[in-house]
Structures are given as C-alpha cells and as structure tokens.
Amino acid sequence: MKAKQVILTAALALAALGPAAMAQTNQTDKVETKEQRDARMAWWREAKFGMFIHWGVYSVPAGFYHDKPVAGIGEWIMNRGKIPRVEYQAFAKQFDPVKFDADAWVMTAKNAGMKYIVITSKHHDGLAMFDTKASSWNIMEASPYGKDPLKDLAAACRKHSIMLGFYYSQAQDWNNGGAGNSWDPNPDVTMDDYIDKVAVPQVREILSKYGEFPAVLWWDTPHNMNYDRAKKLYDAVEKLRPNIILNNRLGGGFKGDTETPEQHIPPQGYPGRDWETCMTLNNTWGFKRDDNNWKSTETLIHNLCDIASKGGNYLLNVGPTSEGLIPQPSIERLAEVGAWMKINGEAIYGTTATPFGGELGPAVKAKDGYGHDTTVSSANDWRCTSKPGKIYIMIFNWPASGKFELPGLQSKVKRAYLLADHKKLKFERTESGVTLELPAAAPDKIASVVCVEIGDKTAKVAGQK
Ligand code: GLC
C-alpha cells in the first residue's frame, strides 16, 4: 500500500468507528520524551514557591459599585455587579498606578523566598495589561498610565533572577466578545471571531515582546472552549515557545503540564503529575478594599510545607492596588515567610514528596477558600520532603517528650541536625523506626526543620514503596 492509501484507509476505519474514535485522534498532550519533559520542567520543580499577581482595572472599584460592596472575588466585580461595558471601561480612566515599582514587587517576591511570578496579562474583564494591536481595550490606550507594566516587570525579574509567567484569560473576555458576558454581551463579535482576532494575536504578542519570558502561560476558566479553538492557541504557543510550561486550564481536552488545585491542598497531591496550588492571602485575588481576612504567617508556612511534602508548588497571590502597591498586610506576611525560608528553604527548594505518608492522616471533608466542598489531610503535626540522600522533617508541634519518631524508616541514618543551628542530634534505631532526640525548645514556633542524612538515595520506609 502506498502512504496516501494507508492514511485514507486509517481515516476511513476511524470514521467507521464513529465520532468518539475520531476525537481520539486530536492531539491534546505534548509529544516529548520523559527526559525532554524533565528538562523542560526542571526550573519549575526546583522553584517550589511563586507569587501570583492579580492586577487590573478591577483594583479601581476595589470591590464597590455605586458605593455598595459587591460580594465575591474582586476581579469578578464586572460580572457579579452586572456592570455594563461602557461603565466598566470608564474605570480605566482612573487606573493610574504611578506608585508601581517593578523592582520593589520583584524584591518582595524574592525576599519571601519565591522563585517565580505569574501575573495577569489579561483577566476575564479583557483589559490587556500590555501594548496590543488586537484591541484598544488595553492599558496603553484606555488608562492615563499609558505604559506597559509587564515590560518593567520582565526587566526586574531578569535583573533579580526571578522567572516570570503570564496568566491569560483565553476564553472568558467580557469586553472583547469572548465567553462569560451574559448581562451586556457584545452583539457584533462571535466566540470564534474573538479567538481569531483577539486571543490568538494577543497570545502571540505576549510571547514575542519580553525576551525569554513568559516561562509559564497560565490559562484559566475554559468556558466555551472546544478542541478547535484551543488548538489554535496551543499551536501559536508551540510555534513561538515550545519550552514554555502550560497549566491544565486551556480546555478543549488539552492536558497541559500542571494540575492547578485552587484555594485548597489536595490530601495526597497528584502522584505522577506536576501540580501547583494557587491560593489567596486574604479571600480575593484582585484587590478589594474591604477584604481584611488575611491568613496568618503560620498558615502560610504550614501550607508551603504541606504542599512541598506532597510534591507540589505553592503559588501565593497578591492583589495590588490601583496605585500599584502590594497591600501592606501581604508584604508583612511574605517577609515573615521569607525569614523562615532563609533558614529552612533547603527543605523546600528542589524537593520531592514525603517517603512516609502516614503523617498526612486520612483525607477528611473540608471547605476550600470559596466555601466549596473539598478534602484535605487530617493530621497536622509534621511534614517531610526528600532530596537524594536526605529527608527533611518539618515539625509543627514540638514533642514535649523531646523524642521524635521517624515511623518505619529503614535506611541507615548518617547524621541528623536542625537547619536552625546545624548541631548534630542524637538518634536511636528502634523496632519501629528511628527516634530523634530533640532539644527541649523548638527553634521555630511555626515549623522547625530537621535534616536527616541517610545511606540511600531514596529513603526506605517499611510499608511504603
Ligand atoms: C478562577 C477565577 C479567577 C482567578 C483564578 C485563579 O478560576 O475565575 O478570577 O483568576 O481562579 O486561579
């Protein structure tokens, strides 16, 4: 059979099997070897901790419409308040972030121990936070600011060795004719027009204007996406930046590289998949002036340990004001997390999941940051991460007995020490594992870390694979 005939026969055979089989021919996963994937994901797996930034025109109303608070997350105010397009667009005239200092933002992230930033280049309201030819609804033309803040941010990230990624709302666009606007839709634009004339060209633009960045493209809410629409976006990205990291929210069946649990930490992580919990510092992503429900530094550090112990990354959000300032309560908490990371960061960066597992406890029902049902780990005494030849024990509740058991650890222990002072700890092999002898007082009241150097590359634990 000639090649052409083979293809024709194969296509006919698939067609005979019906639409389900035809759909399987859609390519929805990147074609690459494990080695290629590992190389592509390497910086991200090492980084572990990143800053999410939700910033746009929604920081002007800041949660209020006609002086009344609008319930829900701040960047959704146009939707939740059913604000007509013309009225919403008028907010841009007050969007003049003269206090925006890209260096200061990047240093806030860096001093927190974060290694990457993902910022909204366009959220669901459709305002491009960059110079674009595809729509006049952009920060250069619609706001008095008239500058591209992503350019400054890219330069600052480059200067301070922080990786930069862009969030891009590819499906929902309430001003340019994309999905999601039921209260004042643009009658002149179809979803396909929007994809062809706004989304695809803008994705090309953001991939072409900032040198080596973005290193991540963070899609969101794939409403009304189908394979054909998603494929256009996917192909545009593949062509310009084949090494980029894509999340799992493109839609159309595309798997992407990372799972993105939102506002919660899955009880067991996603074994075999890269994943990243994104979470707010208060209740909102985009700035709301009446949201003061800040998470404690203790919660943030415990979350970071919990996520790392399950093999994930933590993408923690700040929502800057319309003046361009990261809220002070965010800055304070991030600085405290950074102080902890300075001493204990080696237990987080470049680590993989716990070799134990029992310390997570059985999964229990809980509510996520939106009040939706979810499940979380039930136990909160300690967490563990791994590196070749080492495990890190992150202790939240310091034992009054001064003894701490590593349950079922079979690997030979070479040395154990606290990251706080590097002084050697005594340890003893028991029938059920290895017991560490700890000083009377915890060096850190939130989480104290013991590094245990072991004789195996990967810890051997009884009852674990
Ligand atoms: C969502 C929301 C959004 C936010 C995002 C962050 O799905 O639509 O406003 O940007 O989650 O993960």
Side-chain angles (χ1 to χ4, degrees):
M1 250 197 279
K2 297 216 182 77
K4 251 190 195 163
Q5 261 178 311
V6 174
I7 292 166
L8 190 67
T9 318
L12 285 173
L14 278 172
L17 289 171
M22 287 295 274
Q24 279 170 19
T25 63
N26 288 345
Q27 180 225 322
T28 53
D29 208 2
K30 200 168 168 77
V31 182
E32 65 188 339
T33 63
K34 183 180 178 301
E35 288 68 31
Q36 286 169 328
R37 188 183 188 87
D38 288 346
R40 194 164 60 80
M41 296 303 297
W43 74 263
W44 189 92
R45 290 175 184 165
E46 173 67 32
K48 286 286 165 191
F49 190 25
M51 175 182 273
F52 214 173
I53 304 179
H54 276 69
W55 194 39
V57 157
Y58 37 81
S59 60
V60 172
F64 285 78
Y65 179 46
H66 292 323
D67 292 330
K68 289 207 185 74
V70 177
I73 40 184
E75 71 285 4
W76 273 72
I77 191 168
M78 182 180 173
N79 178 304
R80 300 297 296 262
K82 305 286 169 250
I83 305 177
R85 280 178 289 137
V86 172
E87 239 182 287
Y88 187 82
Q89 286 172 16
F91 288 132
K93 306 221 163 59
Q94 299 166 58
F95 188 45
D96 193 12
V98 288
K99 295 190 180 158
F100 167 61
D101 176 346
D103 268 291
W105 285 17
V106 173
M107 286 314 292
T108 297
K110 189 166 180 161
N111 289 335
M114 293 160 156
K115 300 288 190 187
Y116 63 111
I117 290 174
V118 177
I119 185 167
T120 46
S121 65
K122 186 194 86 166
H123 205 268
H124 308 332
D125 68 359
L127 183 90
M129 293 290 284
F130 53 94
D131 196 2
T132 172
K133 294 198 175 60
S135 167
S136 58
W137 180 226
N138 70 70
I139 189 167
M140 313 282 293
E141 292 175 72
S143 84
Y145 188 61
K147 280 177 271 183
D148 177 346
L150 305 188
K151 214 177 218 166
D152 289 353
L153 207 57
C157 283
R158 195 166 294 129
K159 180 165 143 200
H160 299 295
S161 304
I162 296 292
M163 294 296 253
L164 178 64
F166 292 152
Y167 168 112
Y168 185 85
S169 177
Q170 79 283 12
Q172 291 206 72
D173 188 318
W174 306 326
N175 276 288
N176 289 305
N181 186 339
S182 57
W183 61 97
D184 179 24
N186 185 336
D188 306 323
V189 187
T190 67
M191 180 78 181
D192 286 306
D193 287 341
Y194 156 76
I195 292 285
D196 293 341
K197 296 188 185 135
V198 180
V200 171
Q202 286 193 338
V203 162
R204 287 206 187 102
E205 286 174 335
I206 56 175
L207 291 178
S208 312
K209 290 150 60 89
Y210 306 97
E212 73 278 35
F213 299 136
V216 173
L217 199 48
W218 217 96
W219 312 110
D220 200 10
T221 59
H223 299 349
N224 293 356
M225 289 300 276
N226 56 29
Y227 178 75
D228 290 339
R229 291 169 183 157
K231 175 90 165 110
K232 286 180 186 170
L233 290 158
Y234 183 83
D235 285 349
V237 176
E238 268 294 286
K239 193 158 174 205
L240 288 167
R241 191 72 53 93
N243 276 331
I244 203 164
I245 295 172
L246 301 177
N247 75 0
N248 64 341
R249 298 190 184 182
L250 173 57
F254 284 85
K255 295 187 186 69
D257 302 309
T258 58
E259 298 297 315
T260 53
E262 184 168 313
Q263 300 286 37
H264 73 279
I265 303 169
Q268 301 291 335
Y270 292 84
R273 270 292 269 173
D274 291 297
W275 65 277
E276 176 188 64
T277 279
C278 54
M279 202 181 272
T280 49
L281 263 162
N282 47 356
N283 287 348
T284 184
W285 304 92
F287 180 69
K288 276 183 91 166
R289 62 182 154 89
D290 63 342
D291 183 345
N292 292 305
N293 190 21
W294 301 101
K295 291 182 178 67
S296 68
T297 302
E298 176 175 79
T299 298
L300 301 173
I301 291 173
H302 286 181
N303 285 347
L304 182 56
C305 298
D306 190 23
I307 290 167
S309 85
K310 296 164 181 176
N313 280 20
Y314 196 18
L315 188 63
L316 188 55
N317 183 73
V318 297
T321 66
S322 62
E323 286 188 311
L325 296 175
I326 297 175
Q328 195 55 29
S330 302
I331 292 186
E332 285 160 16
R333 283 158 180 77
L334 292 177
E336 286 169 6
V337 175
W340 185 88
M341 284 294 271
K342 234 189 192 121
I343 294 168
N344 301 296
E346 71 165 275
I348 303 291
Y349 301 126
T351 58
T352 52
T354 177
F356 298 101
E359 75 276 21
L360 306 174
V364 289
K365 287 190 179 147
K367 298 282 179 197
D368 71 6
Y370 299 126
H372 301 147
D373 291 336
T374 186
T375 51
V376 296
S377 299
S378 55
N380 212 22
D381 284 334
W382 59 284
R383 290 293 183 266
C384 177
T385 53
S386 309
K387 267 186 202 166
K390 286 178 180 171
I391 52 175
Y392 294 93
I393 314 297
M394 304 176 280
I395 305 175
F396 302 166
N397 288 324
W398 199 249
S401 67
K403 293 197 187 302
F404 187 91
E405 158 140 309
L406 303 169
L409 183 67
Q410 293 174 332
S411 296
K412 176 184 150 102
V413 172
K414 298 206 279 194
R415 276 198 305 159
Y417 50 89
L418 281 157
L419 291 186
D421 59 14
H422 283 252
K423 282 194 195 129
K424 279 193 194 166
L425 299 176
K426 288 191 178 141
F427 55 86
E428 191 190 359
R429 183 157 292 283
T430 64
E431 263 176 37
S432 51
V434 171
T435 299
L436 300 172
E437 275 180 42
L438 301 176
D444 190 300
K445 61 184 191 317
I446 293 177
S448 305
V449 182
V450 180
C451 174
V452 181
E453 295 185 3
I454 51 176
D456 297 309
K457 195 166 170 223
T458 311
K460 292 201 175 81
V461 175
Q464 305 290 319
K465 41 178 172 21

